[in-house]
Amino acid sequence: STFELATKNATTGEWTSTPKTLGDTVPTPVAATGYKAGSWDSVPTADTPVERGETTYTYTFVIDQFAYTVEHYYEETVGGEFEIDNSKTDNKSADYGSSITTYDNKAGTGYVLDHTSGLPLTIGTDASKNVIKVYYAIDDNNNGTPDKYEATVKYVVVNGTFEGETETSLTSTFELATKNATTGEWTSTPKTLGNTVPTPVAATGYK
């Protein structure tokens, strides 16, 4: 807003000082999304005198915090559905627009992290959408690999052996997923038997 702090005489051209106040020029601040009430550095009112030169009044809104939830789900059977454990749910809050990249791992005995959804989470104003879901898979042998991604293939020969071997039974194991070294999450990676298939060799007298 601009003001003239004097009145010009139309006849003489002379100026006479006429003090002014801010009056109805004081605007009402409106917060941007994700911010809440703050304060003026110096409060302007309708009665505040207008000073000569340039005067600036600054209103600063404060960033608001919003709730977010971390839900924990556990595999009910190997390769089966995941069920939420509400007793493990974490209810937290963070600044609007901040990025959440971590969570508390609550795998517990017999389980291991499988995957997550909602990470990284950018905090918005709608708490119902600020949700991270963490999924844990069964790991009964506690070797750090979800049981559903472990596969064993057994080759058995009757009346013979396998080429280069004396055993009549050979076993190959496979991991049907790849673990991300950074996040610890697993991504399904189907495998084939590849070069694990042995060559049978007939015993004497067999064909």
Side-chain angles (χ1 to χ4, degrees), residues 18-170:
T18 50
K20 301 286 178 67
T21 60
L22 294 178
D24 61 2
T25 68
V26 181
T28 300
V30 178
T33 300
Y35 288 78
K36 62 182 179 181
S39 61
W40 291 98
D41 57 350
S42 178
V43 181
T45 69
D47 297 326
T48 300
V50 176
E51 303 291 339
R52 183 178 61 189
E54 181 176 296
T55 303
T56 300
Y57 297 94
T58 301
Y59 188 96
T60 302
F61 285 99
V62 179
I63 195 165
D64 205 352
Q65 286 204 330
F66 295 89
Y68 75 93
T69 304
V70 183
E71 299 175 345
H72 300 267
Y73 294 78
Y74 296 81
E75 194 177 46
E76 293 184 289
T77 59
V78 175
E81 299 296 321
F82 290 88
E83 183 73 22
I84 188 172
D85 183 343
N86 289 309
S87 70
K88 302 289 181 65
T89 297
D90 298 306
N91 296 299
K92 302 186 177 186
S93 62
D95 287 349
Y96 171 77
S98 61
S99 179
I100 307 301
T101 59
T102 61
Y103 57 89
D104 294 329
N105 189 315
K106 298 184 178 181
T109 303
Y111 283 90
V112 66
L113 174 65
D114 187 0
H115 66 282
T116 66
S117 69
L119 277 179
L121 172 67
T122 299
I123 298 298
T125 59
D126 186 347
S128 68
K129 296 180 180 179
N130 294 337
V131 180
I132 297 169
K133 297 182 179 182
V134 186
Y135 297 86
Y136 304 98
I138 293 172
D139 180 24
D140 278 339
N141 57 11
N142 293 309
N143 66 351
T145 300
D147 291 352
K148 65 181 178 180
Y149 298 135
E150 295 178 313
T152 300
V153 176
K154 192 173 186 178
Y155 302 102
V156 177
V157 64
V158 178
N159 299 321
T161 58
F162 291 110
E163 187 175 79
E165 303 288 343
T166 59
E167 301 294 329
T168 59
S169 176
L170 296 177

